[in-house]
Amino acid sequence: MSEEFYKVAEMNDLNEGKLYPIEVDGEPICLVKLEDGVYAFTDNCTHISGPLNQGEFDGCAITCPWHLARFDVRTGKVLRGPARQDLYTYTVKIEGESIYVGLPPLEE
Ligand code: FES
């Protein structure tokens, strides 16, 4: 099964470099617009679920507000511990001015 896409915002709603916490079908997701596109990643730090949207964002890296783990928001990769697991990143589709986020299919 393929991902299910949900419309989450319009391009004009987002300021570049600002973090937007949203909820899609019960999933906490953080959206950010960068120069080269829009990225969506889980809003729960993979360490012990710190709220990443409250962290500091710099270029393309988010720093968790709780214990300062850092992740690349484009790939989800851990840049600095204590987190060890990469962030889940969601597929983003832009059609016209509308932004859609794809949720993975539910496991059977
Ligand atoms: S919860 Fe994010 S670094 Fe600990």
Side-chain angles (χ1 to χ4, degrees), residues 44-52 64-71 81-83:
N44 285 331
C45 178
T46 58
H47 181 221
I48 49 168
S49 295
L52 293 174
C64 178
W66 285 4
H67 316 100
L68 308 180
R70 267 164 77 81
F71 305 89

Side-chain angles (χ1 to χ4, degrees), residues 2-8 22 24 29-31 38-42 73-74 88-94 99-105:
S2 58
E3 295 162 301
E4 188 156 349
F5 282 86
Y6 294 81
K7 182 173 173 188
V8 294
I22 57 172
V24 183
I29 294 175
C30 194
L31 266 189
V38 176
Y39 296 90
F41 52 97
T42 177
V73 299
R74 297 166 306 177
Y88 186 83
T89 55
Y90 296 85
T91 307
V92 174
K93 267 197 328 199
I94 296 170
I99 302 168
Y100 296 83
V101 168
L103 256 51

Side-chain angles (χ1 to χ4, degrees), residues 59-98:
C60 59
I62 180 76
T63 301
C64 178
W66 285 4
H67 316 100
L68 308 180
R70 267 164 77 81
F71 305 89
D72 186 321
V73 299
R74 297 166 306 177
T75 59
K77 289 264 172 251
V78 174
L79 302 174
R80 181 176 70 202
R84 290 169 175 221
Q85 196 188 328
D86 295 341
L87 287 181
Y88 186 83
T89 55
Y90 296 85
T91 307
V92 174
K93 267 197 328 199
I94 296 170
E95 288 179 4
E97 287 296 300
S98 302

Side-chain angles (χ1 to χ4, degrees), residues 7-28:
K7 182 173 173 188
V8 294
E10 296 282 329
M11 284 301 259
N12 286 341
D13 297 338
L14 306 185
N15 292 320
E16 205 170 298
K18 189 166 181 297
L19 301 168
Y20 293 89
I22 57 172
E23 200 175 285
V24 183
D25 204 25
E27 304 245 0

